[in-house]
Amino acid sequence: MTLGTAIRQRQAAVLLVLAAAFCSIATCATSAEPPSFSKWFKYSPDIEKSWDVASDPAQPMSVSLRRKGATGSLKRVLVLYPRPSSAYDIAITEILRTFEAKEINSHFEVVNFELNDARGKAALQTAEKNGVELVFAMGSESAAWLFANYKGGALPVVTVCSKDPVQLGQMKDYDSGSGNNFAFTSLNVPIDVQMAYVRELRPELKNLAVLVDSKNISAVQTQADPIANYLKEKGVQVIWGSVQNPAKAKEELTKIIPDAVRAMRQTDPNLSKSLFWVTGSTSVFREIRTINQYADRVPVVSVVPEIVTKGPDTAVLAIGVSFESNARLAAIYGARVLNGSSPAKLKVGLVSPPDMAISFLKAREIGMRVPFGFFEIASFVYDYTGEPVRSAEQALEN
């Protein structure tokens, strides 16, 4: 072997090593990148112990989940998302946990159709073609879209994280089934039930400020309007705090909240007979810090248990249905449909009693007394230091 040949072989060997190293680095960099669906689809890390999660980079708005160890035929399920939401992160986690606990061998296809008609219809056509046996409508927007576009369709639909279907005109009452391919669950608590707790908390209630996103039609129709009408009949002053532009909710709330407090003081100088009422409008409840900053000593109460959290950035109390509880009920409905129950005969799924959440840290901060009966039935409790003492805590992320 000549010296030149030896040098060339050595150079070739070095290049191969460098190429391998480069490929390794590139592979590591690629594997470290989050999957394409992670911007809109999230779940609790424990899910991957029981489910294989996969995606096609060419289809970033779709993700597939298959139960690990599943044998035999699989129950195929389509979940339609209208957009990303921390509420949906909680809900899909609970649905998957429930299906795993019930040992339902299943394959979920989750599609974020972004309320695009063509994409939504294409997802349904593909589902029908591929033998899907159940559709979960995730959120009020998906439920409304499916009700308008797929009522009477070939596949059964179960709603999740959706507002009250009777108040939205999707069901005629709570005592009979839909008579079609829909089975509904509700995120709402009947107004008279919620108000029974409010009367115990504030027996002489004079003012209630309703905080709602005016663009969130389902929250307006099923949470804001009903409580406003109910309290007006009882002689309570209802102060509307409507966010007009969800993208500027924080900016608007910095004016809405102080204005409401000033209005309250006209009939309740020491603010001992007033409340803020936070609806299930994401753009509103995610600004809980801003609401607290300007609420003075007025208790901030919500219909969303998840916004009562550890630490100071929390509502003091919630009386409602947690996303987790609703999703568990929806999963049970879904399991029943897969086992042969007709969605047409299922009554509206209501969580009873409601989920109550309490922050004693916030209660002490504003000087609010919490009735002992509330503590006895509360599902979520945070102590005087803001730490959870009774909680299935799942943090809401923006």
Side-chain angles (χ1 to χ4, degrees):
M1 178 184 299
T2 66
L3 179 60
T5 301
I7 291 174
R8 285 193 295 273
Q9 288 181 345
R10 181 175 179 81
Q11 288 175 333
V14 170
L15 288 173
L16 286 173
V17 171
L18 289 174
F22 177 81
C23 289
S24 177
I25 292 170
T27 300
C28 289
T30 301
S31 62
E33 293 179 359
S36 57
F37 62 79
S38 63
K39 292 182 179 180
W40 65 269
F41 181 77
K42 299 176 183 178
Y43 48 86
S44 178
D46 66 278
I47 289 302
E48 294 188 0
K49 296 178 182 178
S50 304
W51 296 84
D52 290 317
V53 184
S55 66
D56 180 353
Q59 299 182 32
M61 291 304 186
S62 179
V63 58
S64 174
L65 302 101
R66 181 186 176 113
R67 186 166 172 242
K68 290 183 176 180
T71 58
S73 61
L74 296 175
K75 298 291 187 180
R76 299 181 67 89
V77 179
L78 171 66
V79 186
L80 279 183
Y81 276 45
R83 57 183 171 82
S85 171
S86 53
Y88 306 161
D89 302 340
I90 293 172
I92 193 64
T93 295
E94 186 58 30
I95 289 172
L96 293 170
R97 285 174 177 165
T98 302
F99 267 55
E100 198 277 329
K102 289 182 172 293
E103 298 184 344
I104 301 174
N105 289 339
S106 47
H107 180 188
F108 281 71
E109 188 74 22
V110 185
V111 175
N112 179 2
F113 75 113
E114 297 182 309
L115 292 177
N116 179 287
D117 284 353
R119 287 164 58 183
K121 291 175 182 178
L124 290 169
Q125 290 171 358
T126 300
E128 291 179 357
K129 180 180 177 181
N130 291 342
V132 165
E133 299 176 62
L134 173 67
V135 178
F136 279 118
M138 185 66 79
S140 298
E141 293 163 309
S142 279
W145 185 88
L146 279 160
F147 190 74
N149 291 277
Y150 202 64
K151 179 182 176 182
L155 302 178
V157 178
V158 175
T159 66
V160 190
C161 282
S162 183
K163 307 296 193 308
D164 190 276
V166 175
Q167 293 175 323
L168 290 172
Q170 297 163 338
M171 287 278 283
K172 64 178 181 179
D173 57 44
Y174 299 100
D175 299 321
S176 54
S178 66
N180 53 52
N181 61 318
F182 276 72
F184 292 93
T185 66
S186 175
L187 265 180
N188 295 67
V189 174
I191 292 299
D192 56 344
V193 174
Q194 283 181 321
M195 290 302 98
Y197 291 108
V198 169
R199 284 195 297 272
E200 187 173 352
L201 181 67
R202 285 286 186 266
E204 300 179 25
L205 183 68
K206 287 183 175 293
N207 304 292
L208 185 137
V210 179
L211 303 181
V212 65
D213 175 355
S214 62
K215 302 293 192 298
N216 189 327
I217 303 303
S218 62
V220 172
Q221 291 181 348
T222 70
Q223 294 175 342
D225 283 345
I227 193 171
N229 295 335
Y230 182 96
L231 290 178
K232 285 177 182 176
E233 292 181 358
K234 305 296 181 182
V236 176
Q237 176 180 223
V238 175
I239 303 166
W240 281 96
S242 298
V243 169
Q244 301 304 310
N245 183 351
K248 295 184 177 181
K250 182 176 183 178
E251 179 182 338
E252 291 188 32
L253 288 167
T254 59
K255 184 178 186 303
I256 288 172
I257 305 302
D259 286 350
V261 171
R262 283 191 287 272
M264 292 171 177
R265 286 191 183 277
Q266 294 179 10
T267 57
D268 181 22
N270 64 2
L271 302 176
S272 63
K273 301 174 183 177
S274 301
L275 294 173
F276 279 103
W277 189 260
V278 180
T279 64
S281 304
T282 304
S283 64
V284 174
F285 67 64
R286 70 185 176 192
E287 297 297 340
I288 186 63
R289 176 183 292 184
T290 302
I291 296 169
N292 281 334
Q293 182 180 354
Y294 295 98
D296 205 313
R297 298 176 63 82
V298 181
V300 177
V301 181
S302 179
V303 302
V304 182
E306 281 86 355
I307 72 166
V308 177
T309 61
K310 65 187 297 184
D313 298 328
T314 174
V316 66
L317 180 72
I319 308 162
V321 177
S322 72
F323 301 125
E324 185 178 52
S325 293
N326 173 264
R328 186 181 306 117
L329 179 57
I332 292 171
Y333 266 37
R336 290 175 63 181
V337 169
L338 288 174
N339 286 328
S341 294
S342 170
K345 298 180 179 180
L346 293 175
K347 299 179 182 179
V348 177
L350 300 172
V351 175
S352 182
D355 294 313
M356 184 174 287
I358 306 168
S359 169
F360 281 97
L361 170 66
K362 184 59 67 175
R364 182 169 62 180
E365 180 182 307
I366 63 175
M368 187 188 87
R369 185 189 70 83
V370 178
F372 183 73
F374 286 17
F375 173 74
E376 288 185 307
I377 66 172
S379 305
F380 312 90
V381 177
Y382 298 84
D383 65 18
Y384 290 111
T385 67
E387 292 300 315
V389 293
R390 187 188 305 161
S391 173
E393 186 180 7
Q394 302 207 41
L396 284 177
E397 301 174 0
N398 290 338

